[in-house]
Amino acid sequence: MDTEKLKKYWKSEEQLAHIHGWDFSHIDGRYIQQNPPWDYKKIIFSYLKTDDMLLDIDTGGGEFLLSLNHSHCLTSATEGYSPNVELCKKILIPLGINFKESSDYSNIPFENNKFNIVINRHGNYDISEIYRVLKPNGIFITQQVGEDNDREFVKLLMPNEKKKFNGANLYTQKQLFIKNGFSILQSSEAFCPMKFYDIGALIWFAKIIEWEFPNFSVDTCFKQLLKAQALLNKNGFISGTAHRYLIVAKKSV
């Protein structure tokens, strides 16, 4: 194994690690992740009516929101990540979607009782704020990344990194929604297999998912990356798990 050549390649992947919207096409074919057993979009369509006021929190670049084809004049969105904010301003606002820049989950920038449906995929949320902006009998639909997401990869590359986001699991979150005036209409949890076939792709991934791999770099984690490469050489892949959970909650009157 030529470690110098590996390091040069790995650092090139590290330098390429940036994201446009929520686009992982750079590592297509170099990793696989099994989808959860539910269809988030179909679940939204099962509740969303044509005349509903819809809010998407943490919309990313608006890609998923636009795929719903909901009436633009009835659609609102928030996003706080600067590169995605610029995308939303260029794409969503000209369509007539009510977009507002915001990363303050404790203060959603919309009035009380405004929305029939609020959706949130893999973004943060404040349950009391969700309750505030929903109309009576309004529905919150969220697919979330759980606390055990990517833990095998984190332990491999950064063995001293403690688990974050404790409480991000289906049981805990369901109890919080119930305590805050919601009834649970649907819920599910899944641990989906993931495999990386290229350590360079894992490096790119770790740099993008900086909240799970804080201060990760090829230089500081080089010994662990060599161990990961040895495992890949032996097995043909590095395996881990994506943790997801789904909640559909209805605001009590």
Side-chain angles (χ1 to χ4, degrees):
M1 183 188 299
D2 189 329
T3 57
E4 287 304 314
K5 283 186 178 179
L6 273 178
K7 189 170 188 178
K8 183 177 180 180
Y9 164 55
W10 289 344
K11 288 184 76 70
S12 72
E13 287 289 344
E14 183 178 39
Q15 291 167 3
L16 286 170
H18 62 275
I19 199 161
H20 182 78
W22 195 242
D23 178 9
F24 276 49
S25 61
H26 178 69
I27 56 175
D28 281 354
R30 301 160 69 190
Y31 90 117
I32 59 170
Q33 177 181 316
Q34 188 179 96
N35 291 324
W38 58 81
D39 188 319
Y40 180 63
K41 183 184 284 189
K42 283 185 178 180
I43 290 170
I44 291 172
F45 282 146
S46 72
Y47 292 97
L48 183 63
K49 300 179 181 65
T50 56
D51 59 349
D52 277 346
M53 295 291 292
L54 172 67
L55 169 64
D56 185 16
I57 295 174
D58 275 0
T59 194
E63 305 93 336
F64 177 80
L65 178 61
L66 291 176
S67 77
L68 298 176
N69 293 313
H70 194 59
S71 174
H72 294 160
C73 65
L74 300 176
T75 301
S76 300
T78 67
E79 174 60 37
Y81 180 53
S82 296
N84 287 341
V85 167
E86 295 309 310
L87 272 179
C88 291
K89 288 179 178 178
K90 291 178 182 178
I91 296 171
L92 301 186
I93 291 177
L95 294 174
I97 291 172
N98 187 4
F99 171 74
K100 295 189 179 182
E101 179 178 358
S102 177
S103 57
D104 184 358
Y105 305 101
S106 64
N107 186 22
I108 298 173
F110 293 99
E111 58 267 33
N112 298 349
N113 305 312
K114 181 175 177 65
F115 300 101
N116 304 95
I117 303 279
V118 175
I119 62 174
N120 179 319
R121 185 173 66 164
H122 302 177
N124 291 324
Y125 58 80
D126 181 297
I127 296 175
S128 62
E129 274 295 280
I130 299 296
Y131 189 94
R132 180 184 67 78
V133 300
L134 277 172
K135 294 181 179 181
N137 295 313
I139 294 171
F140 180 53
I141 305 171
T142 186
Q143 176 179 297
Q144 285 294 318
V145 177
E147 63 189 1
D148 291 314
N149 193 62
D150 300 331
R151 282 302 297 167
E152 298 91 343
F153 303 124
V154 175
K155 289 178 180 179
L156 178 61
L157 300 184
M158 308 176 73
N160 296 321
E161 189 66 32
K162 295 181 179 179
K163 184 168 76 171
K164 298 178 174 62
F165 313 115
N166 289 312
N169 60 73
L170 182 62
Y171 176 79
T172 300
Q173 293 302 309
K174 281 175 64 176
Q175 301 309 307
L176 289 173
F177 274 99
I178 292 167
K179 288 178 181 178
N180 282 274
F182 287 86
S183 57
I184 304 300
L185 302 182
Q186 287 183 240
S187 64
S188 191
E189 190 164 33
F191 296 87
C192 308
M194 292 179 66
K195 291 181 180 179
F196 281 87
Y197 300 102
D198 173 3
I199 300 303
L202 179 56
I203 289 166
W204 185 92
F205 180 87
K207 288 297 290 187
I208 293 297
I209 314 297
E210 57 188 357
W211 51 94
E212 290 182 356
F213 300 83
N215 302 311
F216 168 81
S217 74
V218 170
D219 287 331
T220 58
C221 300
F222 189 63
K223 288 183 180 180
Q224 294 304 122
L225 287 166
L226 290 175
K227 290 182 180 180
Q229 184 65 56
L231 282 173
L232 188 144
N233 292 343
K234 178 181 178 181
N235 301 318
F237 54 83
I238 301 292
S239 61
T241 307
H243 179 193
R244 300 287 185 267
Y245 62 92
L246 169 84
I247 294 175
V248 181
K250 182 178 180 181
K251 176 180 176 177
S252 302
V253 178

